[in-house]
């Protein structure tokens, strides 16, 4: 974990549970957050459309894709940011090439490998809406209790 932590859209408990129930097929559920900007605690580093005043604010994410690594190491959902005017932003609101939430791992695979998984391709789906809050954190996906 970077000493400055990171900004993320942290899923509310009911949204995390939706992902676990609908998409989790692996033994180590995560479904915790969508990373926005890693390795900083300076709100000036937030990518657009976010500003410092958005910290603590709730946002809506829409699931738009799903992938599971062939060996069963990691699975993730692709998400878009639903703006107040109804526009779905699918890229650029996170530093990841493909905005996503890592749903689960096999317990051995690093959750960050979801980035490579999704860059290799994913199934487009029309999934549920998720609620998340923009926060700064030092929490690690590895810190999440099993099944939480």
């Amino acid at each position: 974990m970077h000493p400055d932590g990171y900004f993320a859209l942290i899923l509310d408990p009911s949204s995390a549970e939706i992902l676990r129930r609908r998409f989790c097929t692996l033994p180590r559920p995560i479904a915790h957050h969508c990373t926005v900007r890693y390795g900083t605690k300076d709100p000036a580093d937030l990518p657009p459309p976010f500003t410092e005043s958005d910290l603590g604010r709730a946002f809506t994410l829409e699931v738009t894709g799903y992938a599971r690594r062939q060996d069963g190491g990691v699975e993730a959902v692709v998400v878009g940011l639903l703006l107040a005017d109804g526009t779905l932003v699918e890229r650029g609101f996170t530093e990841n090439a493909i905005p996503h939430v890592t749903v689960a791992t096999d317990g051995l695979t690093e959750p960050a490998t979801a980035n490579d998984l999704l860059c290799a391709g994913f199934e487009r789906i029309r999934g549920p809406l998720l609620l998340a809050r923009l926060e700064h954190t030092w929490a690690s996906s590895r810190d999440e209790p099993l099944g939480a």
Side-chain angles (χ1 to χ4, degrees), residues 54-88:
D54 288 325
L55 284 173
R57 189 172 146 224
F59 289 89
T60 302
L61 299 172
E62 182 176 339
V63 174
T64 61
Y66 171 82
R68 181 176 190 258
R69 204 166 73 183
Q70 195 168 9
D71 69 359
V74 64
E75 62 191 338
V77 293
V78 177
V79 295
L81 178 67
L82 193 58
L83 301 180
D85 67 2
T87 302
L88 183 65

Side-chain angles (χ1 to χ4, degrees), residues 15-26 63-68 75-78 103-104 123 125-128 130:
S15 293
E17 184 61 22
I18 288 168
L19 290 184
R20 289 184 194 112
R21 285 179 190 244
R22 285 192 61 180
F23 299 101
C24 183
T25 65
L26 300 175
V63 174
T64 61
Y66 171 82
R68 181 176 190 258
E75 62 191 338
V77 293
V78 177
V103 174
E123 174 189 0
I125 61 170
R126 185 158 183 145
L130 309 170

Side-chain angles (χ1 to χ4, degrees), residues 66-70 78 91 97-98 113-123:
Y66 171 82
R68 181 176 190 258
R69 204 166 73 183
Q70 195 168 9
V78 177
R91 299 280 195 279
I98 301 174
T113 62
N115 289 299
D116 293 333
L117 167 70
L118 296 169
C119 284
F122 58 89
E123 174 189 0

